[in-house]
């Protein structure tokens, strides 16, 4: 019985070196991160110490902690030739992380190369993460279709994570996380219903940060949508990062406990103090064990 956190970030020495080798965003100057559209951000080196993070994962009771590329860096949106060294560094470092870590693969979404992604997945990555703003409309699904077809062929899941946040530097430091990230996830949730699911009927997908709470708009969708009631899709999941008991309980009421999986977004947020967010042992087991198992394998 493996307890899983589906959403963490851990920058390996390989990725850190690749970011420090650049002189335009995204890049690191020492431990200061520079991105297009966001203010400079000071990274805590200890947050990306693999040994320390492995100890934290074990202390959290995890048998598996899945790391992913930080999509707000904008790496996936770089032209293929500029994205490749950073993607290669991420995959090399992620594949070398100690237990209990696993990892999501990443891919360029400007110049899609399904063959390169297939080679990465051959290395044992659990699935593919894509930025939400790459899957926000019909054109995005058409562009990324070769990657999503690949996941369906291999019976592997998709993880949708907020992407870059242009204009975030105009507000306070918390603005990107609270406004454009949430907006992106909200849009991605409904875009999947309209464009993603009809094109990819067998794809399992997990939306970060409770899909920006988009599932809670079911009543409004029933009144103003396409005339149909929102239907719970057994292949669609949301993860819990940065939310607490009130939001998680509301989403569980809307989608059922089986659709919600634990994601912490560590080191930018922490796991819940109580497994299952205080909703009981059955909910904790669903969020940390059975839900992640269905997401990752399609099996109960």
């Amino acid at each position: 019985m493996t307890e899983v956190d589906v959403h963490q970030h851990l920058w390996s020495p390989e990725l850190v070196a690749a970011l420090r080798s650049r002189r335009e965003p995204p890049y690191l100057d020492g431990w200061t991160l520079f991105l297009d559209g966001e203010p400079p951000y000071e990274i805590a080196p200890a947050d990306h110490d693999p040994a320390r993070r492995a100890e934290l994962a074990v202390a959290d009771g995890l048998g598996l902690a899945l790391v992913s590329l930080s999509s707000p860096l904008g790496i996936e949106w770089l032209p293929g030739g500029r994205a490749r060294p950073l993607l290669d560094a991420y995959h090399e470092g992620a594949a070398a992380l100690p237990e209990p870590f696993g990892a999501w693969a990443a891919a360029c979404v400007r110049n899609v190369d399904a063959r390169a992604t297939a080679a990465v997945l051959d290395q044992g990555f659990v699935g593919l993460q894509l930025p939400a703003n790459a899957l926000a409309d019909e054109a995005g699904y058409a562009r990324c279709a070769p990657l999503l077809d690949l996941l369906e062929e291999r019976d592997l899941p998709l993880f949708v994570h907020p992407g870059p946040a242009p204009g975030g530097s105009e507000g306070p430091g918390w603005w990107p996380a609270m406004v454009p990230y949430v907006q992106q996830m909200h849009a991605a949730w409904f875009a999947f219903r309209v464009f993603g699911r009809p094109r990819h009927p067998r794809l399992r997908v997990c939306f970060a940060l409770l899909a920006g709470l988009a599932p809670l708009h079911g009543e409004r969708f029933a009144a103003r949508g396409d005339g149909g009631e929102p239907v719970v899709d057994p292949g669609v999941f949301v993860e819990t990062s940065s939310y607490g008991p009130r939001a998680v309980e509301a989403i569980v009421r809307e989608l059922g406990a089986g659709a919600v999986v634990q994601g912490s977004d560590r080191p930018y947020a922490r796991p819940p103090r109580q497994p299952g967010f205080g909703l009981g042992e059955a909910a904790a087991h669903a969020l940390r064990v059975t839900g992640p198992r269905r997401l990752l394998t399609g099996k109960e």
Side-chain angles (χ1 to χ4, degrees), residues 7-11 15 19 25-26 33-38 48 67-78 83 86-87 90-91 104-109 128-135 144 158-166 176 180-181 184-185 206 208-209 265 268:
H7 181 192
Q8 295 197 8
H9 299 285
L10 202 176
W11 295 2
L15 180 58
L19 288 168
L33 177 66
F34 292 86
L35 303 178
D36 278 328
E38 295 195 30
H48 299 283
V67 301
S68 66
L69 183 64
S70 299
S71 284
L73 294 175
I75 292 171
E76 295 106 319
W77 279 106
L78 294 172
L86 293 168
L87 291 172
Y90 163 71
H91 290 128
W104 297 93
C108 179
V109 296
L128 177 65
Q129 175 186 286
L130 291 177
N133 56 357
L135 297 171
C144 294
L158 169 70
F159 181 38
V160 182
H161 186 286
Y181 292 1
Q184 286 184 33
M185 297 310 303
C206 181
L209 53 111
D265 201 19
Y268 309 113

Side-chain angles (χ1 to χ4, degrees), residues 5-261:
D5 183 332
V6 304
H7 181 192
Q8 295 197 8
H9 299 285
L10 202 176
W11 295 2
S12 67
E14 292 85 352
L15 180 58
V16 169
L19 288 168
R20 285 178 176 164
S21 72
R22 294 173 53 83
R23 291 298 177 267
E24 58 183 353
Y27 72 95
L28 279 172
D29 182 356
W31 285 100
T32 303
L33 177 66
F34 292 86
L35 303 178
D36 278 328
E38 295 195 30
Y41 184 79
E42 294 297 325
I43 304 295
D47 286 343
H48 299 283
D49 180 329
R52 176 179 178 274
R53 288 288 301 280
E55 292 174 357
L56 287 174
V58 172
D60 289 336
L62 299 175
L64 179 63
L66 298 179
V67 301
S68 66
L69 183 64
S70 299
S71 284
L73 294 175
I75 292 171
E76 295 106 319
W77 279 106
L78 294 172
R82 292 165 57 195
R84 180 55 50 200
L86 293 168
L87 291 172
D88 288 347
Y90 163 71
H91 290 128
E92 179 183 354
L97 290 173
E99 292 184 349
F101 292 110
W104 297 93
C108 179
V109 296
R110 179 173 291 192
N111 305 111
V112 171
D113 185 343
R115 183 175 298 180
T117 300
V120 170
L121 291 172
D122 287 342
Q123 300 174 35
F125 288 82
V126 300
L128 177 65
Q129 175 186 286
L130 291 177
N133 56 357
L135 297 171
D137 53 24
E138 186 174 14
Y141 273 97
R143 183 176 58 251
C144 294
L147 300 175
L148 305 183
D149 289 342
L150 175 64
L151 292 177
E152 282 189 294
E153 291 168 5
R154 297 197 175 198
D155 194 27
L156 295 175
L158 169 70
F159 181 38
V160 182
H161 186 286
S169 60
E170 298 174 2
W174 48 261
W175 188 266
M178 291 303 301
V179 182
Y181 292 1
V182 174
Q183 292 171 334
Q184 286 184 33
M185 297 310 303
H186 185 110
W189 173 265
F190 286 104
F192 181 76
R193 175 191 174 100
V194 177
F195 307 115
R197 180 52 85 208
R199 184 186 282 266
H200 303 283
R202 296 179 291 107
L203 182 65
R204 296 189 305 280
V205 55
C206 181
F207 293 87
L209 53 111
L210 297 179
L213 300 184
L216 300 186
H217 292 268
E219 293 167 319
R220 181 173 176 82
F221 184 83
R224 304 289 293 274
D226 59 15
E229 288 285 336
V231 177
V232 175
D233 184 330
V236 172
F237 301 78
V238 295
E239 61 86 21
T240 60
S241 59
S242 297
Y243 285 99
R246 289 178 295 175
V248 171
E249 182 176 11
I251 293 289
V252 166
R253 288 180 180 274
E254 189 71 23
L255 300 180
V260 185
V261 297

